Amino acid sequence: MAPILEIRDVSRRFGGFTAVDRCSLSVEAGSITGLIGPNGAGKSTLFNMVAGNLPPSSGTILFEGREIQGLRPHELFGRGLLRTFQIAHEFSRLSVLENLMMVPGGQPGENLVDAWFRGRKVREFEAKVRERAEDVIDFLKIGHVAREPAGNLSGGQKKLVELGRTMMVDAKIVLLDEIAAGVNRTLLNDIAANIERLNAERGYTFFVIEHDMDLIGRLCDPVVVMAAGEVMRTGSLAEIQADAAVVEAYFGGSPMGHATTRAGNSA
């Protein structure tokens, strides 16, 4: 498989502090690639640069072979690079269905002329978007909350809606930022199963920041380890767990299996 995302010697400095230091890695198309490391390793800063929220101080980021550093998040969204967040960003007063229907860009109903004079065009497009949203709801098995205001959902249900929003457009790669945070084990299992299905059935590529080693072990191969802003090791989780230097840098010598960060107890 060819890389869909390549990060070449990327650095990010904040004044005299270097958060990411000449980082290089690649994500192969069709993979679920994990990104782990201790707090302060530079993982979120790296995600922010890939997603267009921060420009790199130096280095190159390639998506499908084209440089993307400096592009804004909405431009990357249009190219099929999407990101979810550790804390879900829902429209709290809109229903789950409406949240999903908000995702596709360029809807004719957003154009004043179309809204006033081309009502049929608007209605036909909205019907297609609604049909797709309902298909996503069926895929994720969240029909029981489809008409519920998204702000009323539990943390885990909101994560499912975030995943559903990536399905409303033709996503090529999805950056998942700590999908397990604040999610109980039952819902986390549902989220993981849906990620596996999207990868296997629809060819989604995922790049995953996560502290939960059980989830990393289930989903991710390869796994990239960052420490002090640099890539330290890339390999399977078993290879990483057996690397004494990684264990020392990540957990100060504690066995990785004993340091697994568990998801919270909220739903």
Side-chain angles (χ1 to χ4, degrees), residues 51-226:
N53 300 109
L54 279 175
S57 300
S58 60
T60 304
I61 303 173
L62 300 168
F63 177 53
E64 296 188 310
R66 300 169 63 187
E67 292 190 18
I68 60 169
Q69 68 272 11
L71 294 184
R72 303 295 296 276
H74 70 275
E75 295 172 309
L76 296 170
F77 175 89
R79 296 191 184 194
L81 189 155
L82 285 71
R83 178 190 183 174
T84 69
F85 292 87
Q86 181 178 351
I87 300 174
H89 290 61
E90 78 282 355
F91 295 100
S92 60
R93 295 187 180 181
L94 299 183
S95 70
V96 168
L97 177 66
E98 290 166 337
N99 265 267
L100 296 179
M101 291 180 66
M102 288 286 290
V103 174
Q107 299 193 37
E110 299 171 355
N111 183 291
L112 190 59
V113 173
D114 284 341
W116 280 359
F117 302 111
R118 301 187 181 104
R120 180 177 178 181
K121 177 182 178 182
V122 172
R123 289 191 297 273
E124 288 176 349
F125 190 93
E126 183 174 309
K128 291 179 180 178
V129 172
R130 177 180 289 272
E131 182 179 2
R132 183 160 187 166
E134 289 174 344
D135 287 344
V136 168
I137 286 168
D138 288 342
F139 183 95
L140 297 176
K141 300 177 182 178
I142 53 173
H144 58 293
V145 294
R147 269 68 183 177
E148 186 75 19
N152 293 351
L153 303 185
S154 69
Q157 290 170 331
K158 289 178 181 180
K159 295 286 180 74
L160 278 170
V161 174
E162 284 240 310
L163 190 61
R165 291 199 294 202
T166 72
M167 299 172 62
M168 289 299 297
V169 293
D170 295 323
K172 296 175 181 177
I173 183 170
V174 180
L175 311 183
L176 297 177
D177 192 350
E178 297 201 33
I179 198 79
V183 180
N184 70 33
R185 303 309 293 184
T186 300
L187 264 177
L188 184 57
N189 184 64
D190 292 343
I191 293 169
N194 281 306
I195 292 169
E196 290 169 329
R197 288 181 63 200
L198 287 170
N199 176 253
E201 298 174 16
R202 304 196 180 188
Y204 274 40
T205 301
F206 290 97
F207 190 23
V208 184
I209 288 179
E210 189 51 66
H211 285 288
D212 189 308
M213 291 298 115
D214 291 339
L215 187 62
I216 286 288
R218 172 175 175 173
L219 294 178
C220 300
D221 188 11
V223 178
V224 180
V225 182
M226 284 188 72

Side-chain angles (χ1 to χ4, degrees), residues 5-10 23-26 46 50 60-61 207:
L5 178 69
E6 296 180 78
I7 297 167
R8 298 179 179 172
D9 293 321
V10 166
C23 179
S24 295
L25 61 89
S26 62
L46 184 65
V50 173
T60 304
I61 303 173
F207 190 23

